[in-house]
Amino acid sequence: MFWHHRSVTSADPDHLAREAYEAYCAAQATPLPPWEDTGVQEQAAWRAVVSVIAGPRTATRAMAVPARSLVIKTADRSRSFDAAFTVGREGSLIIDDEFASSSHARFQVARGRWYVEDLGSTNGTWLNGRRIQAAQWLKKGDKIRIGHTVMTVEPA
């Protein structure tokens, strides 16, 4: 195996965490999910590991980027959220859909980015046509389907 040496102290911890995870995946006998499909907690764990290995950083990171509001559009209206919320037949964003669980999915912010995760629902939460297995990062234009209800992430 060939290792390329570079200064770890100036590298972005998110980039290093992803590279470390991908190297780990390459060393496994069975395939693991791609970085994008790992959960928020697993990615945070990889960032913590590389920060320990990298040691003190030579550059200081600016204050965490404050999260922008998340704007979710359903068929009948748009709603803006500034903090974590749940979606389902009950919760912060109630959808009238017989295929939705009472507490179906959670939307939360971490490190200035919004994520969606399924809360163990029967019919699953779908992001851009794919059933999610762990928290997924949201971008404008993403389509989230819960039951027959489709929601779109709009620019804030």
Side-chain angles (χ1 to χ4, degrees), residues 6 24 28 36 40 51-52 60 69 84 99 105 108 112 122 134 141 145:
R6 67 177 135 164
Y24 174 76
Q28 299 306 304
E36 295 77 19
V40 174
S51 70
V52 168
T60 57
S69 297
F99 293 96
Q108 60 190 0
T122 302
R145 183 173 58 83

Side-chain angles (χ1 to χ4, degrees), residues 11-156:
D12 177 17
D14 293 332
H15 179 74
L16 284 174
R18 182 186 185 115
E19 282 191 354
Y21 177 77
E22 289 172 354
Y24 174 76
C25 290
Q28 299 306 304
T30 57
L32 293 172
W35 176 258
E36 295 77 19
D37 291 347
T38 60
V40 174
Q41 290 178 328
E42 185 171 358
Q43 288 181 6
W46 280 99
R47 279 191 292 278
V49 168
V50 298
S51 70
V52 168
I53 294 168
R57 299 184 57 204
T58 56
T60 57
R61 177 173 231 166
M63 294 293 289
V65 178
R68 291 186 304 224
S69 297
L70 180 68
V71 179
I72 297 289
K73 181 182 181 192
T74 56
D76 56 345
R77 66 180 183 151
S78 290
R79 291 219 17 219
S80 179
F81 297 90
D82 294 320
F85 63 98
T86 57
V87 176
R89 290 192 324 268
E90 300 172 1
S92 309
L93 179 56
I94 296 173
I95 55 175
D96 183 20
D97 189 316
E98 63 184 280
F99 293 96
S101 298
S102 295
S103 188
H104 196 103
R106 177 182 16 248
F107 289 73
Q108 60 190 0
V109 67
R111 298 183 61 140
R113 293 181 175 170
W114 280 95
Y115 294 84
V116 61
E117 72 177 314
D118 185 77
L119 295 175
S121 68
T122 302
N123 296 313
T125 301
W126 299 72
L127 177 61
N128 299 324
R130 205 170 88 206
R131 188 172 183 162
I132 64 173
Q133 303 300 322
Q136 297 294 308
W137 175 31
L138 293 173
K139 299 169 289 308
K140 71 179 179 184
D142 280 347
K143 298 207 179 308
I144 302 111
R145 183 173 58 83
I146 294 175
H148 293 294
T149 304
V150 176
M151 298 167 277
T152 307
V153 176
E154 294 190 320

